[in-house]
Amino acid sequence: MEWINSVWQHIDAAFIRENRWQLYLKGLGVTMQVAVAAAVLGIVIGTIVAFMKISVKKNGKPTILSRIANIYIDIIRGTPSVLQLLIMWFIVLKSCQNGVLVASITFGINSGAYVAEIVRAGILAVDKGQTEAGRSLGLTQVQTMRYIVLPQAFKNILPPLGNEFIVLIKETAIVGYVSLKDLTRVSHQMTSALYDQFTPLIGAAVIYFVVIKILTILLAKLERRLRKSDNR
Amino acid sequence: MIIVKDLHKKFEDNHVLRGVSYHIHPGEKIVIVGPSGSGKSTFLRCLNLLETPTSGEVWFDGQNITDPKTNINEVRRHMGMVFQHFNLFNNLTIMDNITLAPIKHKMMSEEEAKETALKLLQRMGLSEKADAYPSSLSGGQKQRIAIVRSLAMSPKVMLFDEPTSALDPEMVGEVLAVMKELADSGMTMVVVTHEMGFAREVGTKVLFMDEGVIMEENTPREFFANPQSPRLKEFLSKVL
């Protein structure tokens, strides 16, 4: 009984007393804010970069745009995201004092590289014959993309895009480096305030887990529905 | 109608077409046969520039379509193409498959396009499939719809790239029957196929392609009865 009592004491101190749970909730708010903003930006950047990357000249050689896209993807994938964040915060966007904004932009640019690969793969996975049939009917490249390839690519793209969002939520745990009070940072600060590492850290982990589990379930549902309406 | 002048096509080091010249007249049904890798499909795909020739010219209706200044999308409206793997648009219903291009080209209003499509589908006995998606159709049905899709544009010539090669044997007949009907209606056709019966019955000319050139050309009767080159003799002895 005493054991249970002690656990309760810890939970009470870490979450309930003085409405401390609100701090975690605020932290989760920051986490989600950065993740959602970054996801939106990442999708925009990723889609543009994907089209840049698949562009080819008439002789089949890659265009300058495609080379630029490759360099961008290489740099993003070849450097740690913590460093990207620090570089943005201390160098590139030094004059911007809004941490959420800087973090959102950083993760948006970061995510864009991965989304670009997802979109590109989704487009390339559509059978080449679909494009050929469209072009043989006199449709332009843009028309063929818009009415035939992209609607089919969309179904390939959506599930991995959901995964990318989940990755993004966890990746943002490093925004404490630029003194943003996200969920991870809040729980970390709580450990020193309470002289108790266990409860706040495990608590934060549980919160991440639950949020992501819910998203995973929703995503699986969406995927199933997509497959059901799959007319291929 | 189509004039091909000294056509060459290279894929990297692979010299697939090594100088093909030919003249296709209106109303002709040209059947192209030959071993795989002989360049016959590449030749066909060069006619509507799905493959860009490395050198040489293709003229269609007095227009040099290999000239980069030619609007190839405009030219392709008049050249129907049927593929080995049907290539129906998977995301669209049969009706939308057929009407997409005519509507986007503003050749017809939506109602007109639908009416035309329904008429064509009725002729094929497939009108009840109008709202179905391609995945629910058999191979033979898909290929007949693909033919309808091309016909909806009222093309001047129809190109067929091994239209029956991906079909189950019992479905080959229905597709060939449609093609025969089309031939009887006076359509100009260029057909790459392995169906020697079709070549004999429908073709006005049969071409034998091998090693990237047209090795032999003749009327179907002479082509099968009196093959000249040893390569064609050997080929016919294998396929007949």
Side-chain angles (χ1 to χ4, degrees):
Chain A
M1 273 332 254
E2 211 162 292
W3 174 77
I4 291 179
N5 203 13
S6 142
V7 168
W8 175 249
Q9 290 267 317
H10 279 102
I11 291 178
D12 182 48
F15 297 106
I16 297 169
R17 216 174 290 160
E18 293 170 24
N19 279 340
R20 283 179 185 151
W21 54 272
Q22 283 182 349
L23 294 173
Y24 296 88
L25 205 61
K26 263 190 202 154
L28 181 64
V30 171
T31 296
M32 295 310 287
Q33 224 179 319
V34 173
V36 169
V40 172
L41 186 60
I43 288 170
V44 173
I45 294 176
T47 308
I48 294 168
V49 173
F51 279 106
M52 284 167 67
K53 189 164 171 172
I54 56 176
S55 62
V56 282
K57 285 193 221 156
K58 276 219 166 119
N59 57 15
K61 294 215 173 89
T63 59
I64 291 184
L65 287 180
S66 143
R67 282 168 212 269
I68 293 172
N70 274 325
I71 292 170
Y72 158 68
I73 293 170
D74 260 6
I75 290 175
I76 295 297
R77 290 209 292 199
T79 53
S81 35
V82 181
L83 268 180
Q84 291 167 12
L85 183 63
L86 291 175
I87 288 170
M88 289 298 267
W89 180 243
F90 288 115
I91 303 170
V92 182
L93 297 175
K94 201 176 171 188
S95 55
C96 178
Q97 293 304 308
N98 185 340
V100 172
L101 187 63
V102 172
S104 301
I105 291 172
T106 307
F107 281 105
I109 293 172
N110 178 287
S111 180
Y114 297 94
V115 173
E117 290 292 310
I118 291 170
V119 172
R120 187 183 72 99
I123 290 173
L124 293 186
V126 176
D127 181 21
K128 217 173 142 230
Q130 298 283 310
T131 305
E132 288 187 347
R135 298 308 304 277
S136 81
L137 288 165
L139 297 174
T140 63
Q141 193 158 11
V142 173
Q143 285 174 323
T144 308
M145 250 309 157
R146 174 158 166 216
Y147 299 112
I148 298 155
V149 177
L150 285 185
Q152 296 182 55
F154 191 66
K155 288 185 180 178
N156 304 332
I157 292 169
L158 218 46
L161 213 50
N163 283 331
E164 172 61 19
F165 181 56
I166 287 173
V167 169
L168 210 44
I169 292 175
K170 291 181 289 181
E171 283 260 292
T172 59
I174 58 171
V175 295
Y177 273 92
V178 297
S179 41
L180 274 189
K181 291 203 165 80
D182 74 316
L183 180 55
T184 301
R185 178 75 166 183
V186 165
S187 68
H188 191 199
Q189 284 180 333
M190 204 64 90
T191 58
S192 39
L194 300 175
Y195 304 109
D196 171 17
Q197 284 84 39
F198 186 88
T199 325
L201 293 182
I202 298 294
V206 169
I207 297 172
Y208 274 112
F209 179 82
V210 169
V211 168
I212 285 165
K213 191 71 199 170
I214 291 170
L215 279 174
T216 312
I217 291 168
L218 289 178
L219 209 62
K221 253 191 195 153
L222 178 74
E223 221 172 306
R224 234 170 323 177
R225 192 177 304 171
L226 278 181
R227 220 175 305 140
K228 214 183 281 173
S229 72
D230 202 342
N231 298 306
R232 267 173 279 176
Chain B
M1 177 175 265
I2 301 178
I3 301 166
V4 180
K5 294 178 186 169
D6 195 28
L7 208 60
H8 285 260
K9 177 70 186 178
K10 280 182 203 169
F11 293 104
E12 317 256 304
D13 309 329
N14 191 4
H15 204 157
V16 181
L17 294 181
R18 299 163 179 262
V20 178
S21 300
Y22 199 70
H23 194 151
I24 299 164
H25 301 275
E28 277 192 310
K29 294 97 182 63
I30 309 296
V31 181
I32 306 170
V33 301
S36 58
S38 59
K40 53 193 194 305
S41 276
T42 307
F43 171 61
L44 190 78
R45 291 161 57 85
C46 279
L47 294 183
N48 67 353
L49 259 53
L50 276 188
E51 297 298 349
T52 314
T54 311
S55 68
E57 288 177 3
V58 179
W59 290 69
F60 175 68
D61 259 0
Q63 192 181 10
N64 179 3
I65 66 170
T66 34
D67 183 342
K69 275 176 252 156
T70 304
N71 178 357
I72 189 61
N73 297 319
E74 165 59 33
V75 173
R76 283 181 181 143
R77 294 182 193 186
H78 308 292
M79 306 172 98
M81 181 147 195
V82 174
F83 299 86
Q84 181 177 357
H85 295 288
F86 331 127
N87 296 348
L88 293 181
F89 305 134
N90 297 319
N91 58 320
L92 301 178
T93 62
I94 299 308
M95 179 54 82
D96 291 340
N97 259 277
I98 301 169
T99 58
L100 177 71
I103 291 173
K104 292 301 166 207
H105 293 323
K106 302 201 165 57
M107 296 165 71
M108 303 176 199
S109 70
E110 216 172 309
E111 293 87 63
E112 278 176 306
K114 279 191 174 164
E115 223 170 279
T116 312
L118 262 182
K119 262 185 214 151
L120 286 165
L121 283 174
Q122 262 157 12
R123 234 168 66 193
M124 298 272 174
L126 287 170
S127 47
E128 80 279 13
K129 297 287 184 193
D131 297 320
Y133 281 89
S135 59
S136 65
L137 269 56
S138 73
Q141 289 172 330
K142 281 184 198 171
Q143 197 59 301
R144 282 150 64 207
I145 300 287
I147 294 172
V148 168
R149 181 173 66 179
S150 286
L151 288 180
M153 305 273 293
S154 317
K156 293 177 184 165
V157 56
M158 286 280 286
L159 313 175
F160 292 85
D161 189 3
E162 303 199 24
T164 57
S165 297
L167 293 174
D168 290 338
E170 74 266 27
M171 292 173 181
V172 171
E174 60 184 88
V175 172
L176 289 182
V178 169
M179 290 170 64
K180 252 176 237 170
E181 210 183 291
L182 192 58
D184 291 340
S185 75
M187 177 64 76
T188 310
M189 293 163 71
V190 186
V191 186
V192 170
T193 186
H194 296 292
E195 295 290 331
M196 295 303 148
F198 179 85
R200 202 190 308 245
E201 219 179 305
V202 180
T204 53
K205 282 276 168 59
V206 184
L207 311 188
F208 176 63
M209 280 192 74
D210 196 19
E211 288 169 357
V213 294
I214 298 174
M215 205 162 266
E216 201 160 330
E217 174 217 338
N218 222 326
T219 59
R221 182 193 294 257
E222 286 299 304
F223 185 89
F224 290 105
N226 285 317
Q228 303 296 309
S229 67
R231 293 285 301 180
L232 177 54
K233 280 179 195 163
E234 188 196 334
F235 177 75
L236 288 178
S237 73
K238 278 182 195 158
V239 297
L240 289 181

